[in-house]
């Protein structure tokens, strides 16, 4: 539909990006896609969702020569044979097709998965990146998951590295760099109040005549 709009949200680990997306989706009355895209992709492609879970937001271990065997994960319905193989880049293309199909049929919020790059030619797509100070991110993870500070810091380091590597590999842009997005927000500058982050995003969308 011509009036559809899509909000893509990239996020640092612990910055509250997914929670912000859910709050914004409730506020605007639109669906939020995160890991749901895995199941949408699997449903439309006929592949087992476990394939996408295992490879979600990861790059090929050996780039184009890395192959992922589907022998143990394939459905037994003939859609995938026991000799089938598929690499991460092929899975990325399948996921990209699903994201484009979703964008064509409804207004929505898509979290991660390089959606901002995949939909870069869509004039009704607004890309947002949400981050926060390391201190605020660490505290959020400690409070939310009951982690020690050391474990929270390690989770942030590993998660940010995985996301940045994936994003940079597939988009040829730089994850978290302001030039890669329409709007970047530091949630800690708003007192870590995600409702204020939602209000800020809505104001921006209104100024862009998106909503």
């Amino acid at each position: 539909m011509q009036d559809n709009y899509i909000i893509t949200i990239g996020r640092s680990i612990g910055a509250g990006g997914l929670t912000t997306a859910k709050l914004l989706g409730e506020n605007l009355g639109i669906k939020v896609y995160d890991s749901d895209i895995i199941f949408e992709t699997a449903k439309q492609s006929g592949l087992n969702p476990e394939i996408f879970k295992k490879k979600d937001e990861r790059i090929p271990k050996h780039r184009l020569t890395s192959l992922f065997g589907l022998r143990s994960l394939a459905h037994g319905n003939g859609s995938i044979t026991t000799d089938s193989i598929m690499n991460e880049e092929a899975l990325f293309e399948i996921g990209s097709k699903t994201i484009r199909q979703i964008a064509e049929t409804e207004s929505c919020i898509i979290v991660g998965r390089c959606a901002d790059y995949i939909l870069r030619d869509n004039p009704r797509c607004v890309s947002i990146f949400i981050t926060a100070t390391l201190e605020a991110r660490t505290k959020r993870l400690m409070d939310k998951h009951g982690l020690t500070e050391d474990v929270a810091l390690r989770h942030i380091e590993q998660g940010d590295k995985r996301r940045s590597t994936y994003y940079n590999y597939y988009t040829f842009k730089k994850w978290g760099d302001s030039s890669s997005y329409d709007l970047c927000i530091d949630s800690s500058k708003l007192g870590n109040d995600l409702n204020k982050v939602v209000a800020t995003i809505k104001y921006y969308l209104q100024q862009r005549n998106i909503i």
Side-chain angles (χ1 to χ4, degrees):
M1 296 289 293
Q2 185 67 31
D3 292 333
N4 285 349
Y5 63 91
I6 303 92
I7 302 164
T8 67
I9 294 183
R11 71 282 187 225
S12 299
I13 295 288
L18 180 56
T19 302
T20 297
K22 291 179 178 179
L23 289 172
L24 182 62
E26 291 176 3
N27 192 291
L28 296 174
I30 59 177
K31 188 171 181 179
V32 177
Y33 288 92
D34 181 32
S35 57
D36 293 347
I37 288 180
I38 295 172
F39 299 102
E40 289 290 334
T41 299
K43 183 173 67 176
Q44 295 182 31
S45 65
L47 299 177
N48 190 316
E50 292 300 320
I51 295 170
F52 297 94
K53 286 183 180 180
K54 187 170 182 178
K55 297 297 180 179
D56 188 33
E57 293 195 317
R58 284 172 170 77
I59 66 169
K61 291 182 179 179
H62 305 294
R63 298 177 70 86
L64 292 175
T65 60
S66 175
L67 295 176
F68 174 55
L70 305 186
R71 182 186 304 273
S72 63
L73 295 174
H75 286 299
N77 59 7
S79 59
I80 297 294
T81 68
T82 57
D83 294 325
S84 296
I85 53 176
M86 181 173 292
N87 63 30
E88 290 90 338
E89 292 190 348
L91 291 174
F92 177 81
E93 287 303 317
I94 294 172
S96 298
K97 181 179 179 181
T98 299
I99 288 173
R100 294 189 188 99
Q101 290 174 339
I102 291 171
E104 288 177 358
T105 58
E106 63 181 303
S107 295
C108 62
I109 299 170
I110 303 177
V111 181
R113 279 95 193 153
C114 301
D116 61 300
Y117 179 77
I118 294 167
L119 300 175
R120 63 192 180 278
D121 295 326
N122 188 324
R124 298 279 290 171
C125 178
V126 177
S127 59
I128 298 167
F129 190 86
I130 298 173
T131 189
T133 63
L134 181 59
E135 179 182 6
R137 295 161 63 196
T138 303
K139 185 177 186 305
R140 185 184 297 277
L141 290 185
M142 292 172 65
D143 293 344
K144 183 176 181 180
H145 301 291
L147 305 178
T148 65
E149 183 176 0
D150 287 344
V151 173
L153 285 169
R154 185 163 63 250
H155 184 67
I156 289 171
E157 180 181 5
Q158 293 174 348
D160 281 355
K161 182 178 180 180
R162 184 182 71 250
R163 287 178 180 176
S164 64
T165 301
Y166 176 85
Y167 184 88
N168 296 349
Y169 179 82
Y170 283 110
T171 70
F172 310 104
K173 299 196 296 180
K174 187 174 181 180
W175 181 81
D177 189 295
S178 60
S179 64
S180 296
Y181 310 91
D182 296 318
L183 177 67
C184 295
I185 300 175
D186 183 334
S187 60
S188 58
K189 301 298 184 184
L190 295 172
N192 296 310
D193 186 339
L194 298 184
N195 286 307
K196 290 184 178 179
V197 177
V198 169
T200 300
I201 294 172
K202 282 192 64 179
Y203 178 77
Y204 179 78
L205 295 173
Q206 289 165 351
Q207 296 305 304
R208 286 275 307 271
N209 294 319
I210 298 295
I211 60 174

